[in-house]
């Protein structure tokens, strides 16, 4: 049984709406949420998707040159943030500053978010 389910892939950027418009056009999915600092592209307001968050002073990635790595993290929806936090720590994650923020074994950050009301329980059907 899984501990969680992917909620959104969050991409840091200097202009969330520009990114959202681009990916909305590329993927053919609508922009389902937007404010000044955050935008989501997904098939509906009740599905997971790509999200774009404003990052002031962002230096764009230079991939594949590792001089400036890619800036993104995963949001993983869980039914119980505390229980899932203990489980990911047992699997080799480490706690990072912030509310339910962790790093995977390679150091990639991710957040354990409370399952939204529109999503079925993590252990149940998707």
């Amino acid at each position: 049984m899984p501990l969680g389910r992917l909620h959104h892939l969050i991409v840091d950027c200097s202009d969330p709406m520009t990114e959202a418009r681009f990916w909305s056009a590329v993927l053919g999915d609508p922009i389902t949420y937007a404010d000044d600092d955050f935008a989501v592209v997904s098939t509906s307001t009740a599905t997971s998707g790509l999200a774009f968050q404003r990052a002031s002073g962002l230096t764009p990635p230079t991939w594949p040159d590792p001089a400036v790595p890619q800036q993104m993290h995963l949001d993983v929806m869980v039914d119980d943030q505390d229980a899932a936090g203990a489980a990911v720590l047992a699997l080799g994650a480490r706690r990072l500053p912030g509310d339910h923020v962790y790093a995977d074994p390679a150091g990639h950050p991710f957040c354990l978010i409370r399952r939204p009301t529109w999503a079925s329980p993590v252990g149940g059907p998707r």
Side-chain angles (χ1 to χ4, degrees):
M1 178 172 285
L3 293 175
R5 183 168 60 238
L6 183 64
H7 180 50
H8 292 311
L9 174 64
I10 312 294
V11 181
D12 285 356
C13 60
S14 58
D15 185 346
M17 277 309 296
T18 296
E19 287 292 297
R21 281 189 215 98
F22 172 82
W23 285 105
S24 176
V26 168
L27 300 173
D29 289 334
I31 296 169
T32 56
Y33 177 85
D35 65 26
D36 290 341
D37 296 314
F38 197 79
V40 175
V41 173
S42 57
T43 57
S44 76
T45 58
T47 59
S48 300
L50 290 175
F52 306 94
Q53 93 182 347
R54 185 176 310 281
S56 299
L58 177 73
T59 301
T62 56
W63 187 90
D65 177 358
V68 180
Q70 297 176 52
Q71 294 97 16
M72 63 179 66
H73 72 271
L74 298 176
D75 272 359
V76 179
M77 66 173 83
V78 297
D79 292 323
D80 181 328
Q81 289 172 300
D82 293 330
V88 298
L89 290 170
L91 291 170
R94 63 184 164 84
R95 194 176 306 274
L96 294 176
D99 189 28
H100 302 285
V101 181
Y102 301 85
D104 69 12
H108 300 110
F110 65 96
C111 299
L112 297 177
I113 64 155
R114 189 175 24 252
R115 178 179 48 83
T117 57
W118 54 260
S120 60
V122 172
R126 293 182 180 197

